[in-house]
Amino acid sequence: MNEQARRTIASYTTYQEAERAVDHLSDQGFPVERVAIIGQDVRLVEQVTGRMGPGGAALHGAASGALPGALIGWIFGLLNWLDPVVSGLLLALYGLVFGALVGALFGLLVHAAQRGRRDFASVSFMQPGRYDVVADDAVAEEAVQLLAELPTGIDTSTSGGAWKSRPRSGPAVT
């Protein structure tokens, strides 16, 4: 990818709106390989999903250990020259059970080592505040003109859409 000066041609509050704008450019025959969607004002969100006790820690550990155990058992079973299918399945089952037991013990050990400092489960994800559609300087004006044709401000009482952001011309982005 070559480093060309880019300019913000539109800014949207949701990814779906930015995606719709790029789709519109593509439908108009615009060279979309010269366009990018950039998430701005990114923040890390950690959503707490519930309490984590010893039982939950053991269950999460067992789930984490079962799949690798089954995979390793299956691979070793395939090395059997006499009957690789049966031995592969049997060792995969043994590996699944062994991996779940080791994972459960490891999960309990880690939970106990934390001594109540983190008694909750969570999921982390990145969340941008807005999405900028940028284009190479050489084609930015054409993109702005094409996006001006894109319907905006659709009344949500008559349709399912909520496209309220307006495309805008902006400063150069490098």
Side-chain angles (χ1 to χ4, degrees):
M1 185 173 151
N2 56 9
E3 291 292 323
Q4 291 190 19
R6 290 188 155 183
R7 193 174 87 193
T8 301
I9 58 172
S11 188
Y12 300 97
T13 56
T14 66
Y15 179 79
Q16 289 77 16
E17 292 173 309
E19 185 179 46
R20 180 176 176 252
V22 174
D23 188 49
H24 177 74
L25 291 173
S26 177
D27 292 346
Q28 302 302 314
F30 185 82
V32 290
E33 61 275 2
R34 300 183 79 178
V35 173
I37 299 173
I38 301 174
Q40 298 288 347
D41 303 329
V42 179
R43 62 184 178 163
L44 175 67
V45 178
E46 183 174 10
Q47 179 63 50
V48 177
T49 58
R51 294 185 56 80
M52 178 67 73
L59 186 64
H60 280 82
S64 297
L67 183 62
L71 184 63
I72 290 170
W74 177 68
I75 290 171
F76 278 124
L78 290 179
L79 297 176
N80 184 343
W81 290 98
L82 299 176
D83 196 2
V85 174
V86 173
S87 61
L89 292 176
L90 189 60
L91 284 177
L93 179 64
Y94 289 155
L96 182 124
V97 171
F98 182 74
L101 288 173
V102 170
L105 290 174
F106 188 72
L108 280 171
L109 180 67
V110 168
H111 181 73
Q114 290 180 348
R115 295 189 177 134
R117 282 191 308 259
R118 189 171 168 93
D119 283 344
F120 62 91
S122 65
V123 176
S124 297
F125 57 93
M126 304 295 276
Q127 184 179 44
R130 73 175 193 277
Y131 297 88
D132 289 344
V133 179
V134 298
D136 292 349
D137 257 347
V139 295
E141 280 306 316
E142 180 187 357
V144 169
Q145 291 172 357
L146 289 172
L147 287 180
E149 301 168 4
L150 185 64
T152 58
I154 295 174
D155 184 5
T156 57
S157 63
T158 59
S159 71
W163 310 109
K164 295 189 179 188
S165 298
R166 294 267 319 147
R168 65 170 174 82
S169 181
V173 177
T174 56

